[in-house]
Amino acid sequence: MAIKRSAVAAFVLGALMALPVQAQEKPKELVVGIATFLSGPASVFGVPGRNAADLFFEELNAKGGILGVPVKPVYVDEGAGTNQLISEYRRVVQDQGAQVMFGAISSGSCNALAPVAEDLKVVNVMWDCGTQTIFEEGKWKYSVRTQGHAGAEMMATLLYLMKTKPDFKTIAVVNQDYAWGRESWALLQAGLKALKPDVKVVAELFPKFGAPDFSTEITRLSALRPDVVISTSWGGDLDTFVQQAAARGLLKQSTFVLPLAESSLERLGNVLPEGVIVGSRGDHYFLHPKYKNTPEMQSFVKKYKDKTGVYPIYPTFHMNQAVTGLVKAYEKASAANGGKWPSKEQVITAFEGLEFKSLTGTITIRSDHQGLEDQMLGTTKRVPEYPFAVYDKMALYPGKLVTTPVGEKSLEWFAKIKPEMVNDKSIETFDYSK
């Protein structure tokens, strides 16, 4: 009897193995969970990301969705705190069937969500966070970043500062006290030691994330009078700091360097004077000197402004890159799968080496799942066309030039940069024009 049962089992197993492998079933809809700040001071940054996602997915679905499948975005409030964010992230995947998650804005959130995505085996697109350590200190199969990281942003900032104000002697920092604020300053410090070892750091100030009052920091800076004040803060924190510093005349006392200020320009109105160095966490700017007149940019700016009443800021461009990258990854994975609907594993694999057009250039995803994007900085100028400061004296830095090479650590790379990088021939420059 045992022999007969074994024979039957072997026959069934052989028959099953002879059957063709079942294709991944095409779903009726593709649920994409999106973590962004919908509450708290960072919502001035997160809500624009959601507004842009609504526009992009609406347009995408009008064209048939992804491979003929409509996309359903589901939003998770990053402002609820890390524990709640993780819980909601899991719920959207496990209860609502999300096969893709966009997470998130905060560097701390990305660090927390990467291992959760591995556990859930869900495609996790880091659509906005900047921490450079995420792929330098860990290897995540299911996570990919569709924009640059802090290393690229801070390298471009450092190069621009050294080019436009090479003779500064003293510098101070005012950064939010969490992963992004600490890590971005560590990178800048390492680069400063390599390029300008005689510079004196007169103050390192790290107010609490979401702080409503910066009088202590401003009073100290007023007394120290550093040549340069740098702040990589963003969102409501940056707005509040700049408004309070301007009221005390601090913005005219020192050269301010605000690498994330593009998102605050319109909100700050006439508060921000001329001569402030500003950046856009990439090359994202609705007045981008190379792309402001393209049909794609003009269409997006008009639709976004009609919807929200304001101009798009860099989180909206990062959302564009995440959505576009996802579409292209699905198309690439499907093509490699004989035109069939791809699995999550095939989609994440398709991201490696992927190149796609964004509203402001070309994005390349490296083998380590890190995106390469160009970086742009400028100096504020007041013009009659807009009731807020605009970019002038712009410099565009190629992503490949300013991004830490694969396999290297950003801090170590910054520590060995050479002065000739400041004047690299690949850097493009532009002045403001209507």
Side-chain angles (χ1 to χ4, degrees), residues 43-309:
S43 63
V44 297
F45 191 88
V47 171
R50 182 197 63 188
N51 291 336
D54 285 340
L55 277 177
F56 295 136
F57 283 125
E58 181 180 331
E59 292 179 354
L60 180 62
N61 286 336
K63 297 176 182 177
I66 296 179
L67 301 176
V69 175
V71 179
K72 178 184 178 181
V74 176
Y75 296 98
V76 175
D77 185 9
E78 198 173 342
T82 302
N83 290 337
Q84 184 66 21
L85 171 63
I86 292 174
S87 177
E88 285 297 293
Y89 186 100
R90 286 186 175 276
R91 183 186 63 79
V92 171
V93 175
Q94 295 174 327
D95 296 346
Q96 297 192 245
Q99 293 199 25
V100 178
M101 296 294 291
F102 286 5
I105 288 181
S106 165
S107 293
S109 296
C110 277
N111 281 325
L113 293 178
V116 180
E118 296 295 299
D119 179 48
L120 297 174
K121 295 181 171 57
V122 63
V123 175
N124 182 54
V125 180
M126 298 179 179
W127 72 274
D128 189 74
C129 63
T131 176
Q132 79 282 357
T133 62
I134 196 78
F135 293 122
E136 292 180 1
E137 296 181 1
K139 186 174 178 60
W140 307 105
K141 175 181 177 180
Y142 288 94
S143 288
V144 62
R145 179 155 42 195
T146 48
Q147 85 284 340
H149 62 48
E153 295 155 14
M154 294 306 105
M155 180 59 74
T157 299
L158 183 62
L159 297 179
Y160 188 90
L161 175 61
M162 293 298 299
K163 179 69 175 180
T164 58
K165 192 179 175 65
D167 298 326
F168 68 97
K169 304 293 185 184
T170 56
I171 190 170
V173 61
V174 184
N175 274 5
Q176 294 149 313
D177 191 8
Y178 81 113
W180 166 255
R182 294 282 181 174
E183 290 175 5
S184 57
W185 172 235
L187 292 172
L188 287 168
Q189 244 189 325
L192 284 170
K193 289 179 180 178
L195 296 180
K196 199 172 179 64
D198 59 338
V199 71
K200 183 178 181 181
V201 178
V202 297
E204 296 176 276
L205 308 174
F206 291 93
K208 184 180 178 181
F209 186 90
D213 180 44
F214 295 88
S215 56
T216 299
E217 290 80 11
I218 292 170
T219 296
R220 188 171 177 190
L221 293 174
S222 297
L224 292 170
R225 303 182 69 85
D227 297 327
V228 171
V229 174
I230 189 163
S231 177
T232 66
S233 298
W234 52 275
D237 288 18
L238 179 62
D239 295 356
T240 302
F241 173 59
V242 170
Q243 289 164 347
Q244 294 178 5
R248 296 274 294 272
L250 195 62
L251 298 181
K252 297 181 180 179
Q253 176 182 298
S254 304
T255 295
F256 269 65
V257 181
L258 309 174
L260 282 72
E262 181 271 347
S263 67
S264 296
L265 294 180
E266 186 170 6
R267 293 195 305 272
L268 289 172
N270 61 6
V271 171
L272 205 60
E274 293 190 334
V276 176
I277 295 174
V278 292
S280 50
R281 284 211 59 212
D283 62 343
H284 312 305
Y285 187 38
F286 78 100
L287 293 175
H288 193 294
K290 295 177 71 173
Y291 300 103
K292 64 182 179 180
N293 293 322
T294 63
E296 295 81 6
M297 178 69 87
Q298 292 188 333
S299 174
F300 170 59
V301 172
K302 183 180 186 305
K303 288 180 180 178
Y304 186 85
K305 197 167 190 300
D306 287 346
K307 177 183 176 70
T308 66

